[in-house]
Amino acid sequence: MRLPSRAVMLIAAAALPLALTACSTGSTGSDSGTGTSAEPAKAKDPNSGLATGTQLKQALAPASAFPAGLTLESDGSADSGGQFLSPAGRKAGKPDCTRLESTSWIQVSGYKGGVSFAQNGYANKTEEVDQEIDAFQGTTATEVMKALRTVAAECATFTDTDAHAKVKLTGGATAGLGDEAYTMTLTSGYWENGTTLIAARSGGSVVTVLSTAGGDNGAASAKKVTTTILSALKK
């Protein structure tokens, strides 16, 4: 999980304003001797309009949106709280396709996540459904979606980490979900059921859902959770 590294980033983000305050003490007079000086233009906040982790947590799908028999996994719940994290660039190179099997699978795109996030998951002994929302600055959310479409082609086949079995990935654009959406399905002859992954963008936020619940490779449950989150983000 990314929570430990994100926690360190939160501490650093909290310390930065204090350092800036210490460096800005004191004042200088005007060179012209008039006693007035021009106010510098205030930089636009790149996080303006983005939801915090606390707000994104409220947009996560509730238990009622998940299949019966699944319970909340407490150790899989995390969010970035009321502060924004420092944006991280994309890690270049071949994607680690095995990330598609786990929570926070958005990281297979090369991006660690947004400047704010919230996630949790529901599971039983054989099935699981995980959800995550990441908010990104500027047009990064669009770039994340583009990267995920590329990943679908690069990870058309790969070997899973548990059974060391060959996994086949199929993917395609999905209409009617947010501003854009992409669905991937993972299947293997060694698995009892496949996995459905849905990534959907709503403005600067990217919703990622993983589901193995149901006899349809998790397709219906993944779509229901995704739809529920997107509706909450629009409110």
Side-chain angles (χ1 to χ4, degrees), residues 6 50-53 56 80 83-85 114-118 133-135:
R6 287 298 176 98
L50 297 181
T52 64
L56 292 177
S80 54
Q83 295 178 309
F84 289 101
L85 308 175
V115 293
S116 60
F117 76 95
I133 315 171
D134 287 87

Side-chain angles (χ1 to χ4, degrees), residues 105-130:
W105 61 269
I106 190 174
Q107 295 186 26
V108 76
S109 67
Y111 292 91
K112 290 184 178 180
V115 293
S116 60
F117 76 95
Q119 66 183 73
N120 66 28
Y122 288 72
N124 57 26
K125 292 182 178 180
T126 58
E127 300 176 321
E128 69 174 305
V129 182
D130 301 301

Side-chain angles (χ1 to χ4, degrees), residues 17-177:
L18 296 178
L20 291 176
T21 300
C23 292
S24 63
T25 56
S27 60
T28 58
S30 170
D31 290 338
S32 64
T34 62
T36 61
S37 60
E39 287 285 340
K42 186 176 181 180
K44 182 180 179 181
D45 182 3
N47 297 319
S48 177
L50 297 181
T52 64
T54 301
Q55 294 169 321
L56 292 177
K57 182 179 179 180
Q58 299 302 313
L60 291 174
S64 58
F66 292 79
L70 273 61
T71 57
L72 180 65
E73 296 283 285
S74 58
D75 60 350
S77 299
D79 66 81
S80 54
Q83 295 178 309
F84 289 101
L85 308 175
S86 298
R90 185 188 181 195
K91 181 180 179 181
K94 186 177 180 180
D96 178 2
C97 300
T98 60
R99 284 190 177 274
L100 295 169
E101 305 173 68
S102 60
T103 60
S104 293
W105 61 269
I106 190 174
Q107 295 186 26
V108 76
S109 67
Y111 292 91
K112 290 184 178 180
V115 293
S116 60
F117 76 95
Q119 66 183 73
N120 66 28
Y122 288 72
N124 57 26
K125 292 182 178 180
T126 58
E127 300 176 321
E128 69 174 305
V129 182
D130 301 301
Q131 59 178 339
E132 180 172 345
I133 315 171
D134 287 87
F136 296 89
Q137 296 176 348
T139 60
T140 305
T142 301
E143 294 302 315
V144 171
M145 293 297 297
K146 181 180 178 181
L148 288 175
R149 290 192 292 271
T150 300
V151 164
E154 294 181 297
C155 296
T157 58
F158 65 94
T159 302
D160 80 343
T161 54
D162 293 331
H164 302 291
K166 184 178 180 180
V167 178
K168 180 181 179 181
L169 184 157
T170 57
T174 307
L177 291 177

Side-chain angles (χ1 to χ4, degrees), residues 135-223:
F136 296 89
Q137 296 176 348
T139 60
T140 305
T142 301
E143 294 302 315
V144 171
M145 293 297 297
K146 181 180 178 181
L148 288 175
R149 290 192 292 271
T150 300
V151 164
E154 294 181 297
C155 296
T157 58
F158 65 94
T159 302
D160 80 343
T161 54
D162 293 331
H164 302 291
K166 184 178 180 180
V167 178
K168 180 181 179 181
L169 184 157
T170 57
T174 307
L177 291 177
D179 297 318
E180 59 176 317
Y182 198 83
T183 299
M184 292 180 275
T185 304
L186 310 180
T187 55
S188 174
Y190 290 85
W191 297 351
E192 292 184 9
N193 194 34
T195 302
T196 293
L197 307 172
I198 298 179
R201 181 178 66 82
S202 178
S205 296
V206 176
V207 175
T208 47
V209 174
L210 175 155
S211 177
T212 64
D216 59 350
N217 298 324
S221 54
K223 185 175 182 179

